[in-house]
Amino acid sequence: MTRKQLIVGNWKMHGSHTANAELLAGIVGARPYLADVAVCVPFPYLSEAAIALAATDIRWGAQDCSAHEQGAYTGEVSASMLAECGCRYAIVGHSERRAYHAESDQVVADKAKAALARGVTPIVCVGETLAQRDAGETEDVVKRQLSAVIHALAHCASEIVVAYEPVWAIGTGRTATPEQAQHVHHLLRAQLQAATGRGEQMKILYGGSVKPDNAATLFAQPDIDGGLIGGASLKAADFVAICRAAG
Ligand code: PEP
C-alpha cells in the first residue's frame, strides 16, 4: 500500500515576524513537493502562517490544543479557536509537554479527542525515554501511549496521525537508526490495524533529529510515512531538503 508522505515542521518556541516571513517564503518558493507539507507554529503566529500559506497547498497547525471546549482555563487555546485559524493539524502529547507540563496519557487522549471533534487532525506523539529503551520497555511504553488515544477516540481513531518520537533522539543529534524506527513503526501500525481496521491507510511519522542527510533513508522504510521535524524545520534550506526527500 502506498501512502502519501507527510512532513510537518515543529517550530517549537522559535520565531519572530521577520524570521517567519523569510522561512515561510523559502518553503513556499521551493514548491512543488511530492509529499504533503505543513508547519506547526506558535499560537501567536497562526494568523500570519494562514495569510502566507492560504493560496498554497502547504498546511499549518498548532503545537498543542486544550482538552476543554471553552471556559476558565487561562492560557489555554481550544480546538475551535484552532479551527477558526484554519489549522489542519495540532500536535498533541509531544514529549516536551509530557515532561514539562506533566501531561498524562489520558490528558493527551482528551486533547486528541477535542481536536478531532473540531475537524483538526491531531498528530499524536509517542516515544520512550532512553532509560525506558535501555530497560527494554520501548514497546510497552509506545503501545500504552497510543492505546489511551485509541480508547478515547473509538471509531474515530483512524483519523489521527501518529508520530513516533524517541525522546532520546529529540534535539540531541542522535537519530534512531532506520531499522530501530521501522521496528517501532511496524508495531504501531499493527496496533492501529487491530484497533481500527484502517492501520494500512494511516500515517505514522518519525521524529527525532531528522536532517537533510538522514531523511531519505528514514523515509524509505516501509512503515515510515514522513517526519515531524524540530530543529531542522527552522532553516528553509534544511526543511526544503527534508521535504524533497519524501514522496
Ligand atoms: C520535535 O521536536 O518534534 C523534534 C523531532 O525535534 P528535533 O527534530 O529537533 O529532534
Side-chain angles (χ1 to χ4, degrees), residues 72-111:
Y73 301 104
T74 303
E76 299 224 1
V77 176
S78 71
S80 55
M81 294 172 189
L82 299 183
E84 276 199 327
C85 291
C87 287
R88 171 69 178 267
Y89 299 106
I91 298 171
V92 297
H94 191 282
S95 59
E96 288 154 13
R97 295 211 58 89
R98 290 181 191 260
Y100 308 147
H101 301 273
E103 290 189 6
S104 64
D105 292 343
Q106 188 56 51
V107 166
V108 174
D110 291 344
K111 290 183 170 200

Side-chain angles (χ1 to χ4, degrees), residues 8 10 12 91 94-96 125 165 169-174 206-211 228-233:
V8 180
N10 172 17
K12 312 197 190 205
I91 298 171
H94 191 282
S95 59
E96 288 154 13
C125 300
E165 297 209 310
I170 296 182
T172 58
R174 205 180 141 182
Y206 170 78
S209 297
V210 178
K211 304 277 183 268
L228 181 55
I229 318 299
S233 72

Side-chain angles (χ1 to χ4, degrees), residues 33-166:
Y33 302 106
L34 290 176
D36 287 331
V37 173
V39 287
C40 287
V41 309
F43 293 130
Y45 299 143
L46 282 172
S47 300
E48 66 195 68
I51 291 166
L53 302 175
T56 77
D57 55 356
I58 296 169
R59 312 288 187 180
W60 58 95
Q63 299 168 16
D64 187 27
C65 166
S66 178
H68 306 287
E69 178 59 42
Q70 63 171 2
Y73 301 104
T74 303
E76 299 224 1
V77 176
S78 71
S80 55
M81 294 172 189
L82 299 183
E84 276 199 327
C85 291
C87 287
R88 171 69 178 267
Y89 299 106
I91 298 171
V92 297
H94 191 282
S95 59
E96 288 154 13
R97 295 211 58 89
R98 290 181 191 260
Y100 308 147
H101 301 273
E103 290 189 6
S104 64
D105 292 343
Q106 188 56 51
V107 166
V108 174
D110 291 344
K111 290 183 170 200
K113 192 171 180 183
L116 212 47
R118 291 292 163 180
V120 177
T121 300
I123 299 175
V124 177
C125 300
V126 300
E128 80 287 4
T129 62
L130 188 57
Q132 289 167 331
R133 173 161 282 262
D134 288 346
E137 294 168 2
T138 299
E139 296 183 14
D140 288 348
V141 169
V142 298
K143 279 186 177 171
R144 189 202 70 223
Q145 291 172 334
L146 184 56
S147 154
V149 175
I150 290 172
H151 183 72
L153 297 185
H155 65 280
C156 296
S158 63
E159 304 300 317
I160 67 172
V161 170
V162 175
Y164 170 55
E165 297 209 310

Side-chain angles (χ1 to χ4, degrees), residues 173-186:
R174 205 180 141 182
T175 323
T177 65
E179 295 73 25
Q180 282 173 321
Q182 165 59 26
H183 178 73
V184 177
H185 280 234
H186 185 71

